[in-house]
Amino acid sequence: MPFEVRYASNFYRIEVDLTANLLQATWLRASDKAEIVSGGTALYQVLRDTGIEYAVANAQTLTTLSSEAKEWMSTSFYQLLSTTKLAKLARILPENVFSKIALESVVTRADALGVTKFQVKNFTDYQKALAWLNEK
């Protein structure tokens, strides 16, 4: 797949394949709230500007999340993403159970608040995440 980098920093990278209607975002290391807001906002902007409907977010390096970062993600971030054409988001979570639970709680809270307007599913394997996204 011919992915094109749309955003890159020392902590986050966003690539898109317009032909496949697919975006992949990768956290490159653990990040603080400011970086999570910056990366999340960039993800929203790329989704908004491209109209891509399917995304895989690799969060395996997000091993710690502050309560402030989780709050922003479960409220503002998922609300922003819901204003785009995003239909399915596959998240690749860390293998560490505590990190996984922290990231799962973000989606659970966003769902409870009614801000998520797209499907979200968690994975530990990239290929399984892509297979789910391809079930269109």
Side-chain angles (χ1 to χ4, degrees):
M1 289 184 273
F3 279 99
E4 173 190 333
V5 176
R6 288 293 179 103
Y7 176 88
S9 69
N10 65 348
F11 58 88
Y12 195 52
R13 183 177 63 244
I14 301 170
E15 302 168 288
V16 298
D17 180 342
L18 294 174
T19 306
N21 194 17
L22 181 65
L23 175 148
Q24 64 181 21
T26 307
W27 289 99
L28 304 175
R29 61 171 169 75
S31 296
D32 61 19
K33 182 192 175 199
E35 291 173 341
I36 287 173
V37 170
S38 177
T41 302
L43 177 60
Y44 156 72
Q45 291 167 340
V46 171
L47 285 168
R48 177 197 65 200
D49 296 347
T50 61
I52 286 179
E53 298 173 272
Y54 303 95
V56 58
N58 187 333
Q60 289 177 308
T61 62
L62 287 184
T63 52
T64 58
L65 279 180
S66 68
S67 58
E68 294 84 10
K70 287 193 295 186
E71 174 70 18
W72 181 81
M73 290 173 75
S74 63
T75 57
S76 303
F77 178 57
Y78 279 86
Q79 196 159 26
L80 277 174
L81 295 187
S82 290
T83 66
T84 70
K85 293 184 178 182
L86 183 64
K88 289 174 97 173
L89 174 63
R91 301 187 324 156
I92 303 172
L93 302 184
E95 300 221 2
N96 176 287
V97 69
F98 298 108
S99 301
K100 188 184 297 186
I101 289 170
L103 284 164
E104 287 173 344
S105 72
V106 168
V107 172
T108 302
R109 180 138 190 272
D111 284 344
L113 293 170
V115 299
T116 308
K117 307 293 184 214
F118 50 89
Q119 295 179 60
V120 181
K121 192 166 180 181
N122 298 323
F123 298 88
T124 55
D125 179 80
Y126 182 80
Q127 293 304 320
K128 289 179 182 174
L130 283 181
W132 178 72
L133 288 175
N134 285 322
E135 294 172 5
K136 297 175 184 171

